Amino acid sequence: MDRKRIYLSSPTMHGEEQEYVKEAFDTNWVAPLGPNVNAFEKEIAAYTDCGHAAALSSGTAAIHLALKLLDIKQGDVVFVSDLTFSASCNPIIYENASPVFIDAEPDTWNMSPEALKKAFEKYPSPKAVICVHLYGTPAKLKEIMEICGEHGVPLIEDAAESLGSTYQGKHTGTFGKYGIYSFNGNKIITTSGGGMFVSAEEEAAKKVTFYATQSRDPARHYQHSRIGYNYRMSNVTAGIGRGQLLHLEEHKAGKKEIYRQYQEAFADMPEITMNPLNPESDANCWLSCMTIGEGCAVTPDEVMDALEGINAESRPIWKPMHLQPFFAAYDFIAHNEDGSSVGEDIFNRGLCLPSDIKNTDEDMELIIRTVRECFKK
Ligand SMILES: *Cc1c(COP(=O)(O)O)cnc(C)c1O
């Protein structure tokens, strides 16, 4: 195969990243603290208007420490989106707590408020709700916040995929008690690996920073009154993040344009539906996804194979957590009255299309033509 690879979503670097990294080297701030870390936190806080931020080694670490702040422990129940990447729920297991998976709804593919209500009837006192904004599309936050508020249960927003997305004009990640972002390699901006914990509460961000640096008490003699973690972001990777953040709006515009092109290209095909965008939101369109109409003989595997044939990377929809062997023992609350799973249906009929902002017009034409061909049988 000598055709160049078309990626799902690969890092897009601009040059400023290297300048911040060079500065870290020049000043010998090659450590898990330093001026880039502090500045990156301030810049994310300013961009999202989240209040306070703590830069960490990953988005997963940020979810883990959000659960630590809420004192989640063995026997506690945590409600979490079912249609997501496993990092949303793994930290619940790190604390020996029990996830209860909440089905998706068809309008945004995110946590179903109806299923969430049912979950509260069955489990009246969960310790937290973790809600994901899948593929960059904000969840039905108004409804979810209302339900959580009625029950007095804190909301953690897993905004790993939705940095830059807004809902009713406000950034995702800033609605819940705590929010998290990820800067993993294929996210909308990257630090190679990294994450951010955000909260309106300064005390929360301070505590997270404390836990992330081994919970060292303010004493000379290395004293620890509670368990600690080595989760801090390094000053070198924070430099990459600062350079990337300068281009986040541009990345978002590029992602939205990709989505628009797919939507337009498939508008005449009843067999193809693009992933939904919440009308109350401005989504970052991190990944453009499609589903194949019920009853259509074409499978997502066939489309993914055809794309592989032109050396283009695609990906299945995240496999719902309640279908994962590891999580099989935990409860699942369906959206539909008949108990069938919306997330499972999306997984069975969907796929993620190449959504790399470096795709050329020729790349996009070739992808679109290849997908259309699959349905001409
Ligand atoms: C990427 C991702 C995470 C985890 O972020 P890392 O930085 O890779 O640890 C969490 N949740 C979702 C939905 C993600 O897509």
Side-chain angles (χ1 to χ4, degrees):
M1 175 63 65
D2 47 9
R3 198 192 295 280
K4 81 163 168 82
R5 185 79 167 152
I6 297 172
Y7 291 98
L8 183 82
S9 182
S10 70
T12 302
M13 293 292 143
H14 302 273
E16 287 99 332
E17 298 88 352
Q18 269 180 328
E19 286 166 31
Y20 287 114
V21 170
K22 182 171 183 304
E23 197 177 297
F25 275 73
D26 289 348
T27 54
N28 206 30
W29 275 108
V30 183
L33 78 169
N36 278 337
V37 176
N38 300 337
F40 189 36
E41 288 172 344
K42 287 212 166 65
E43 287 158 6
I44 284 281
Y47 173 79
T48 61
D49 204 18
C50 66
H52 304 274
L56 302 174
S57 53
S58 70
T60 311
I63 298 172
H64 188 191
L65 294 186
L67 295 177
K68 292 300 286 188
L69 283 182
L70 296 172
D71 199 26
I72 306 288
K73 51 189 180 308
Q74 185 150 20
D76 289 340
V77 166
V78 178
F79 295 164
V80 58
S81 298
D82 178 60
L83 184 61
T84 186
F85 179 52
S86 64
S88 303
C89 53
N90 282 337
I92 302 169
I93 305 294
Y94 301 166
E95 293 306 321
N96 298 307
S98 298
V100 170
F101 298 110
I102 312 296
D103 200 2
E105 39 77 9
D107 301 336
T108 75
W109 291 9
N110 289 304
M111 181 178 276
S112 155
E114 289 81 3
L116 182 61
K117 273 187 202 155
K118 281 186 239 172
F120 271 108
E121 282 162 24
K122 192 162 175 188
Y123 302 93
S125 346
K127 280 292 188 67
V129 174
I130 304 176
C131 162
V132 180
H133 305 295
L134 206 71
Y135 301 127
T137 294
K140 292 186 174 178
L141 277 165
K142 184 174 153 282
E143 291 85 345
I144 291 168
M145 300 268 298
E146 242 169 53
I147 300 166
C148 289
E150 272 165 29
H151 292 86
V153 175
L155 176 68
I156 301 170
E157 281 180 88
D158 177 349
E161 302 179 359
S162 67
L163 178 60
S165 299
T166 59
Y167 174 86
Q168 297 180 346
K170 192 166 133 80
H171 278 273
T172 57
T174 68
F175 288 82
K177 187 173 174 69
Y178 308 133
I180 77 99
Y181 301 116
S182 166
F183 311 110
N184 200 350
N186 63 19
K187 297 283 158 55
I188 192 158
I189 63 168
T190 183
T191 60
S192 72
M196 194 74 78
F197 167 93
V198 299
S199 176
E201 301 163 20
E202 183 175 15
E203 197 51 34
K206 276 196 177 147
K207 264 194 189 163
V208 160
T209 305
F210 175 73
Y211 297 162
T213 46
Q214 308 287 20
S215 300
R216 196 180 149 195
D217 291 344
R220 191 180 199 175
H221 48 268
Y222 286 86
Q223 174 167 294
H224 306 272
S225 305
R226 56 165 298 149
I227 191 77
Y229 301 87
N230 183 3
Y231 277 172
R232 195 75 165 128
M233 181 181 280
S234 100
N235 195 56
V236 176
T237 52
I240 306 175
R242 294 185 72 191
Q244 285 272 283
L245 188 55
L246 299 172
H247 297 272
L248 174 53
E249 283 297 312
E250 179 188 324
H251 287 201
K252 179 179 169 184
K255 295 277 190 187
K256 286 174 73 167
E257 175 58 17
I258 287 173
Y259 182 93
R260 194 197 62 76
Q261 286 181 23
Y262 284 132
Q263 193 172 45
E264 187 179 287
F266 302 136
D268 64 330
M269 297 183 66
E271 304 95 328
I272 296 180
T273 308
M274 293 298 293
N275 59 304
L277 304 179
N278 189 332
E280 304 224 50
S281 78
D282 181 29
N284 71 4
C285 297
W286 172 55
L287 292 186
S288 287
C289 310
M290 56 171 269
T291 50
I292 300 169
E294 273 169 88
C296 179
V298 178
T299 65
D301 277 338
E302 283 167 5
V303 178
M304 287 188 280
D305 288 345
L307 288 170
E308 206 46 57
I310 57 163
N311 205 16
E313 184 186 9
S314 60
R315 179 195 270 177
I317 299 295
W318 300 126
K319 182 175 176 177
M321 290 303 115
H322 81 279
L323 300 175
Q324 301 289 349
F326 181 82
F327 293 110
Y330 299 99
D331 204 358
F332 165 70
I333 311 290
H335 169 81
N336 293 326
E337 284 305 322
D338 67 2
S340 64
S341 159
V342 170
E344 186 171 356
D345 177 51
I346 295 167
F347 168 67
N348 285 334
R349 296 191 291 113
L351 66 131
C352 307
L353 293 162
S355 307
D356 198 294
I357 54 173
K358 293 178 295 314
N359 285 354
T360 63
D361 290 345
E362 294 76 50
D363 293 337
M364 290 300 291
E365 272 168 38
L366 180 62
I367 296 161
I368 288 162
R369 196 171 349 117
T370 304
V371 171
R372 291 184 70 98
E373 287 288 328
C374 296
F375 293 85
K376 278 193 190 142
K377 281 184 271 175

